[in-house]
């Protein structure tokens, strides 16, 4: 069962990264590199705000070294595909969402091991931190580059197939998480699951919620429009829990990590639930204002178009029409120079 779980985690991660690559268009990537706002926001949100938040929560709740490493690992992960789906539901900027997810995944190759090394210093004298496999973490991250590159190539050569693979990857995310919950519960058993401290459950609830708030505040500082603020908020709070699960499963022994293997799954559960509440609140209270703003922009465009047409009609070389007070219409001839 443990070997089957490892295979499932690896395949699920590959499908997710393939779908992420299929969502990236080279033209959009070049545009974002010329104005690297998305890259900067991904850097600040995923590798400054979230690792620091995970570190502070681990200190505040006085976690032991095993739980602290699991929380730190989740906090240092790049953004996940869930944010792309949620951005669609809140009328966000999909180009910004995809670029932030892709760029944070690429930056994680260097910055994730660095963040883990920096923030795990507090627990440096513990066995689990001394055994923290930063090389294996980098190797796992490096292995995700191949499916991402393959996905970008498929998007360039076969756009329709890429759209299908994006949908498959989003469904596989949901299916993989459900299967992981079932298999992990079977392996660990209810007794071991009950040993997870209440503080870990509290962090699994608070961490994504605080991440959403930090992302929204970060976008506000950059004076971004409301739909971009919602996008950055979701991108910051949604972590790649499949990558976190893969690293915990493939680099730590079950005897060492124990029940903390469940933390990224708990995080996935609560980040999805809180993002769902975010979407529900937007559908109930925020969508009307978004429609009004959109209609206002369309009306401005129509008015400009009408004015342009009126100016074109008024400009004629054969004569102009004038209306006098007594509802009479006179034609004033104009001379045409030959």
């Amino acid at each position: 069962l443990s070997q089957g779980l490892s295979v499932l985690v690896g395949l699920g991660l590959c499908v997710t990264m393939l779908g992420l690559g299929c969502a990236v268009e080279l033209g959009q990537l070049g545009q974002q590199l010329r104005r690297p706002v998305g890259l900067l926001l991904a850097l600040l949100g995923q590798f400054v705000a979230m690792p620091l938040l995970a570190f502070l929560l681990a200190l505040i709740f006085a976690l032991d070294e095993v739980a602290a490493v699991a929380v730190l690992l989740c906090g240092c992960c790049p953004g996940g595909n869930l944010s792309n789906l949620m951005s669609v539901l809140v009328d966000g900027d999909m180009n910004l969402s995809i670029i932030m997810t892709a760029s944070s995944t690429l930056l994680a190759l260097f910055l994730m091991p660095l963040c883990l090394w920096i923030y795990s210093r507090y627990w440096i004298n513990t066995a689990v931190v001394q055994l923290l496999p930063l090389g294996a973490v980098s190797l796992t991250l490096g292995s995700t580059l191949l499916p991402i590159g393959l996905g970008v190539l498929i998007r360039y050569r076969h756009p329709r197939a890429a759209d299908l693979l994006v949908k498959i990857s989003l469904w596989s995310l949901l299916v993989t998480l459900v299967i992981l919950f079932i298999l992990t519960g079977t392996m660990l058993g209810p007794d071991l699951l009950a040993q997870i401290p209440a503080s870990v459950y509290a962090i699994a609830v608070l961490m994504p919620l605080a991440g959403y708030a930090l992302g929204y505040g970060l976008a506000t500082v950059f004076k971004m429009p409301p739909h971009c603020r919602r996008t950055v908020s979701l991108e910051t709070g949604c972590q790649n829990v499949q990558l976190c699960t893969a690293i915990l499963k493939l680099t730590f022994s079950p005897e060492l990590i124990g029940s903390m293997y469940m933390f990224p799954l708990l995080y996935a559960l609560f980040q999805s639930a809180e993002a769902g509440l975010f979407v529900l609140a937007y559908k109930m209270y925020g969508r009307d204002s978004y429609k009004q703003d959109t209609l206002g922009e369309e009306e401005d465009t129509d008015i400009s178009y009408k004015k342009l047409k009126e100016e074109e009609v008024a400009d004629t070389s054969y004569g102009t029409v004038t209306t006098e007070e007594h509802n009479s219409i006179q034609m004033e001839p104009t001379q045409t120079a030959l």
Side-chain angles (χ1 to χ4, degrees):
L1 188 59
S2 178
Q3 292 177 353
L5 192 58
S6 299
V7 172
L8 176 65
V9 168
L11 289 176
L13 182 61
C14 288
V15 173
T16 300
M17 294 298 101
L18 179 64
L20 176 59
C22 288
V24 177
E25 294 185 5
L26 294 178
Q28 297 173 358
L29 185 60
Q31 183 180 1
Q32 289 294 329
L33 291 177
R34 288 190 293 269
R35 293 186 59 190
V37 179
L39 181 64
L40 179 60
L41 290 172
L43 173 65
L44 294 176
Q46 296 296 344
F47 302 108
V48 176
M50 291 304 291
L52 180 59
L53 174 63
F55 175 73
L56 293 177
L57 288 174
L59 289 181
I60 291 171
F61 285 91
L63 298 182
D64 59 28
E65 63 274 12
V66 177
V69 166
V71 172
L72 283 176
L73 189 60
C74 189
C76 295
C77 278
N81 285 28
L82 177 66
S83 58
N84 306 139
L85 177 61
M86 292 299 176
S87 295
V88 175
L89 298 178
V90 296
D91 298 318
D93 189 335
M94 275 305 298
N95 291 334
L96 177 63
S97 177
I98 293 170
I99 290 299
M100 285 187 67
T101 304
S103 59
S104 66
T105 303
L106 296 178
L107 289 171
L109 184 63
F110 307 100
L111 295 181
M112 186 176 176
L114 178 62
C115 290
L116 285 173
W117 182 82
I118 292 173
Y119 288 108
S120 64
R121 298 299 92 191
Y122 184 82
W123 297 275
I124 189 61
N125 294 324
T126 59
V128 67
V129 174
Q130 291 177 353
L131 295 174
L132 186 62
L134 297 179
V137 171
S138 299
L139 183 61
T140 305
L141 288 168
S143 65
T144 63
L145 297 180
L146 181 60
I148 290 176
L150 180 60
V152 173
L153 180 62
I154 293 174
R155 166 61 65 180
Y156 180 73
R157 295 283 184 86
H158 309 284
R160 292 184 179 179
D163 292 335
L164 179 61
L165 287 173
V166 169
K167 295 179 181 179
I168 292 175
S169 68
L170 291 175
W171 278 106
S172 70
L173 173 64
L174 176 62
V175 173
T176 302
L177 290 177
V178 171
I179 295 176
L180 284 176
F181 270 114
I182 296 173
L183 293 182
T184 305
T186 304
M187 284 182 58
L188 298 179
D191 295 336
L192 193 56
L193 291 177
Q195 294 178 8
I196 299 178
S199 57
V200 174
Y201 285 99
I203 291 177
V205 174
L206 294 175
M207 192 169 159
L209 189 62
Y212 294 142
L214 286 172
Y216 198 90
L218 185 63
T220 304
V221 170
F222 278 79
K223 298 181 180 180
M224 304 189 77
H227 70 289
C228 290
R229 295 180 189 179
R230 296 191 295 269
T231 303
V232 176
S233 174
L234 291 168
E235 281 292 330
T236 305
C238 290
Q239 301 296 90
N240 192 338
V241 292
Q242 286 179 301
L243 178 61
C244 183
T245 303
I247 293 174
L248 286 175
K249 179 62 182 173
L250 301 176
T251 59
F252 290 100
S253 64
E255 295 81 7
L256 184 62
I257 201 65
S259 61
M260 287 302 103
Y261 174 73
M262 285 294 294
F263 179 77
L265 301 180
L266 292 174
Y267 188 95
L269 176 64
F270 289 113
Q271 81 170 2
S272 303
E274 291 166 5
L277 292 176
F278 187 2
V279 172
L280 181 62
Y282 171 74
K283 296 294 186 183
M284 293 177 62
Y285 302 106
R287 192 172 180 82
D288 292 338
S289 61
Y290 174 79
K291 287 182 177 180
Q292 290 176 0
D293 294 339
T294 305
L295 289 175
E297 293 176 358
E298 292 177 354
E299 288 176 359
D300 293 340
T301 304
D302 292 341
I303 291 173
S304 301
Y305 178 75
K306 289 176 181 179
K307 288 182 178 179
L308 180 62
K309 294 300 292 182
E310 290 174 358
E311 291 175 359
E312 291 178 354
V313 171
D315 186 13
T316 174
S317 60
Y318 294 100
T320 57
V321 180
T322 59
T323 305
E324 296 182 352
E325 294 181 358
H326 299 288
N327 297 327
S328 61
I329 300 176
Q330 297 179 352
M331 295 293 297
E332 294 181 0
T334 58
Q335 296 180 354
T336 304
L338 297 177

